[in-house]
Amino acid sequence: RERAMGLEHLRACRPCRTRVAELAEVVELLQLAAAEAEPPAGFESGVLRRLTPSAPAPRYRRRVLTTMAAALVLLVAIGIGRWSAGTTESLAEATMVTPAGENVGRAWRYDGAPSWLFVSIPAWRNERTGAQPGNYRLQIVLDDGRTIDLGVGDLLERNGSWGTDLVVDAEDVHAVSILGDSGALWCTGRFTS
């Protein structure tokens, strides 16, 4: 009954639907950023034995559950981060901005083992960006002015997200940019720390 009331509220409340969608996107981003691990032998068969045939869960229910899982993972990550505050590892955030000054997303760099960079451009699907299917380049600028290309990919296929291990120390990364096939700049984020 409570679930039904909650779902009914989500149907009628645009701000709550937006928040749930944002949190679901966070879960997807966390899944991309997490290290992959193989389940132990027999895991799949054990899960399948416990499942009983049932109707597939509606998409919105899965999103709500995924969002709740993401919130839990985020809280655990924050707790671990605060607990291990004495380490030298750090996470820095930058706002991704178009040449016209429009805020289209965020970038994070992590100085740990391994160091990584993650970019999320939720506005990529927005018609105002003019984004087209095709290859885009992810590029970083280091504090010493050197530029390094980190790869090519289709951001529309990636739902506006891109993550990669860094070949340099994360703290040396001054800025991250996304460029089109022609070399045109789509957006840039500058790290302040």
Side-chain angles (χ1 to χ4, degrees), residues 158-170:
R158 296 172 185 244
N159 290 320
S161 301
W162 200 327
T164 186
D165 291 343
L166 287 172
V167 295
V168 296
D169 289 336

Side-chain angles (χ1 to χ4, degrees), residues 97-102 186:
V97 180
T98 66
E102 182 179 357
W186 282 88

Side-chain angles (χ1 to χ4, degrees), residues 14-28:
R14 182 179 208 117
C16 287
R17 274 196 319 271
T18 301
R19 183 68 178 146
V20 167
E22 289 170 350
L23 291 173
E25 186 170 74
V26 167
V27 169
E28 292 172 11

Side-chain angles (χ1 to χ4, degrees), residues 46-129:
V47 170
L48 291 173
R49 273 195 311 271
R50 290 181 183 100
L51 291 177
T52 57
S54 62
R59 183 174 173 91
Y60 57 85
R61 180 178 177 199
R62 278 182 265 152
R63 278 198 172 246
V64 170
L65 292 175
T66 302
T67 300
M68 292 166 70
L72 179 61
V73 168
L74 188 58
L75 289 174
V76 169
I78 289 170
I80 290 171
R82 287 189 178 176
W83 175 72
S84 63
T87 68
T88 59
E89 298 174 350
S90 65
L91 181 67
E93 183 177 352
T95 301
M96 298 299 289
V97 180
T98 66
E102 182 179 357
N103 177 345
V104 291
R106 298 261 185 271
W108 296 268
R109 69 169 194 213
Y110 175 71
D111 184 30
S115 293
W116 51 260
L117 176 74
F118 190 79
V119 179
S120 174
I121 316 285
W124 200 258
R125 295 175 298 274
N126 184 331
E127 287 111 28
R128 289 183 295 161
T129 66

